[in-house]
Amino acid sequence: MSLQVKKSYNSENKYWYVELSGEVDVYTAGQLKDAFTNMIEDKKENIKINAQDLEYIDSTGLGILIGTLKRLKEKDKNIILTNIRSNVKKLLNITGLDKIFIIEE
Amino acid sequence: MIENQLDEVKLSVPSKPEYVGVVRLTLSAIASRIGFDVEKIEDMKVAVAEACTNAIMHGCRCAKDSKFNIDFVSNGEKLTISVYDDGKGCELESIQDPNLNEPKEGGLGIFIIKSLMDQVDIESEEGKGMMIKMIKYLGDDI
Ligand SMILES: Nc1ncnc2c1ncn2[C@@H]1O[C@H](COP(=O)(O)OP(=O)(O)O)[C@@H](O)[C@H]1O
Ligand SMILES: [Mg+2]
């Protein structure tokens, strides 16, 4: 039951690249929230999330993504999700969030 | 095997975030033992975790040793999972479906549970805790 957040800033193309692996739930959500908060306070730029190893997320994690996107939108920036697993994709579809975030196959 | 035999597993869980993962693992083990496929197990994992998260976050956390309960009951054709707490409860009318065109940080949990499970019943009264009972059928979706 753990979450790893690996982030780096691509200064050439001005975006954050984040690799999430493990599970985002009520226990690990704080860690994700802190990571995003720090990133945005540093540079409010697009956040590209590689979700290949994100095995699980629930409404606690989705709420953090929504909150982060709202702050990014103040500067017209986005959250881009790539390599999403089918179980995570299903949740994004159900909640309509697939239309709010940019989903790259 | 005797048909319609009821297998029951009951858990009493500390109201602490770190135990939601333990419940997910327990659910996975029970559901695969009954013969659910991976996709249905994933659905149930999320639904049960949402209910547990609510019991922990919205039920009562005042007492240091507060707990909530989960019953898993299977009868060969379906798995019934009940998550209940004796926390502060809420008025069910106040729970509304989220507006999907205007995403908010909260209010997705029960909507997700209803979307992922075949049948969901919620009982609550203010001051009397909350009980959410959800069913997933083993066979094809109904
Ligand atoms: N176990 C519970 N005890 C008391 N209130 C609850 C419980 N579960 C849910 N609720 C109420 O229902 C609302 C909706 O729950 P949910 O859809 O999971 O959204 P969220 O948890 O993000 O608020 C909660 O905000 C809360 O008011
Ligand atoms: Mg919730």
Side-chain angles (χ1 to χ4, degrees):
Chain A
M1 256 54 65
S2 67
L3 170 71
Q4 276 88 44
V5 185
K6 243 172 53 190
K7 55 178 180 176
S8 58
Y9 186 68
N10 182 321
S11 42
E12 204 176 317
N13 299 307
K14 291 198 170 170
Y15 68 87
W16 286 103
Y17 179 72
V18 183
E19 278 173 357
L20 293 184
S21 52
E23 306 187 315
V24 185
D25 69 0
V26 64
Y27 180 52
T28 59
Q31 199 187 327
L32 187 65
K33 190 171 184 174
D34 290 347
F36 284 143
T37 305
N38 290 338
M39 285 156 57
I40 289 184
E41 275 165 12
D42 184 3
K43 293 179 192 70
K44 221 184 232 180
E45 297 290 352
N46 286 342
I47 298 178
K48 188 166 183 169
I49 300 172
N50 184 342
Q52 186 170 3
D53 296 321
L54 177 64
E55 288 158 22
Y56 175 92
I57 192 166
D58 58 29
S59 72
T60 322
L62 295 177
I64 288 164
L65 290 177
I66 295 166
T68 304
L69 181 66
K70 279 191 177 161
R71 293 184 62 187
L72 289 176
K73 283 287 177 192
E74 293 162 7
K75 247 190 89 185
D76 247 352
K77 301 298 176 188
N78 281 299
I79 289 180
I80 302 115
L81 290 156
T82 65
N83 298 321
I84 311 169
R85 293 192 181 196
S86 61
N87 58 317
V88 174
K89 187 81 204 292
K90 184 169 184 178
L91 269 194
L92 294 174
N93 289 343
I94 288 172
T95 53
L97 293 173
D98 54 347
K99 297 185 191 66
I100 309 293
F101 304 121
I102 297 174
I103 313 280
E104 279 179 4
E105 297 303 324
Chain B
M1 196 175 89
I2 307 161
E3 236 183 296
N4 285 331
Q5 182 185 325
L6 288 183
D7 281 350
E8 200 172 42
V9 178
K10 284 170 174 279
L11 297 181
S12 170
V13 185
S15 294
K16 295 178 182 163
E18 57 267 42
Y19 281 93
V20 176
V22 175
V23 174
R24 278 202 301 279
L25 285 173
T26 309
L27 176 269
S28 288
I30 292 172
S32 62
R33 147 103 273 288
I34 299 168
F36 279 97
D37 62 30
V38 177
E39 188 180 349
K40 287 187 181 181
I41 293 176
E42 287 300 323
D43 290 350
M44 288 189 280
K45 262 163 87 173
V46 177
V48 170
E50 293 292 351
C52 294
T53 302
N54 283 349
I56 294 166
M57 302 306 286
H58 306 301
C60 195
R61 284 206 297 173
C62 21
K64 241 204 196 136
D65 55 350
S66 92
K67 292 185 173 71
F68 65 96
N69 296 284
I70 310 177
D71 297 350
F72 301 92
V73 183
S74 76
N75 72 349
E77 64 164 14
K78 66 183 180 198
L79 177 59
T80 305
I81 306 155
S82 305
V83 178
Y84 47 103
D85 62 73
D86 51 13
K88 61 179 159 50
C90 73
E91 269 185 63
L92 294 179
E93 297 80 51
S94 67
I95 303 176
Q96 286 174 348
D97 278 353
N99 175 357
L100 298 185
N101 298 314
E102 241 180 78
K104 282 197 292 204
E105 278 101 324
L108 289 173
I110 289 175
F111 176 77
I112 288 174
I113 296 174
K114 287 181 179 162
S115 308
L116 293 177
M117 299 299 286
D118 294 324
Q119 204 177 310
V120 179
D121 292 301
I122 306 177
E123 284 169 31
S124 186
E125 237 178 277
E126 246 172 303
K128 298 216 170 127
M130 162 93 100
M131 144 86 114
I132 180 154
K133 181 170 145 189
M134 44 201 148
I135 297 176
K136 192 83 166 169
Y137 288 90
L138 205 49
D140 288 335
D141 282 343
I142 41 163

